[in-house]
Amino acid sequence: QVQLVESGGGLVQAGGSLRLSCAASGRTFSSYVMGWFRQAPGKEREFVAAVSQSGGDVYYAASAKGRFTISRDNAKNTVYLQMNSLKPEDTGVYYCAAKVAPYGWQLGTWRSYAYWGQGTQVTVSS
């Protein structure tokens, strides 16, 4: 199993940037697909981005593509989400999640991810 802890959330003005981090415990971090999801109050959890085990492949929701960048450092057991040009609609709790292989299967489906962090709040003011 793997334990995940997110950090880096906060309050930022529209157009600003934040970098989220997700620190993982365990010795099998590199065997997991890693993803980011978010959930706004009163709304369903939605997919944001995913990265393959090696970090060589990435996939983004349409709302994130061009503004967000997901990456990972397997030597540090950490996955990142760099968020630029933030909009008020990006506001929500951001969750880091781990998924077993294969990378290309159900990347955007939250039920396919086995492990979750506690979440970190991102608030974007207009």
Side-chain angles (χ1 to χ4, degrees), residues 53-98:
Q53 296 93 319
S54 68
D57 292 304
V58 293
Y59 180 70
Y60 299 98
S63 61
K65 190 173 182 63
R67 299 188 299 125
F68 294 3
T69 302
I70 187 171
S71 62
R72 67 192 296 163
D73 186 340
N74 287 343
K76 296 181 178 179
N77 277 20
T78 303
V79 62
Y80 306 95
L81 184 68
Q82 178 67 47
M83 304 187 293
N84 299 325
S85 301
L86 284 163
K87 305 173 182 179
E89 52 262 44
D90 295 317
T91 294
V93 178
Y94 282 68
Y95 297 93
C96 175

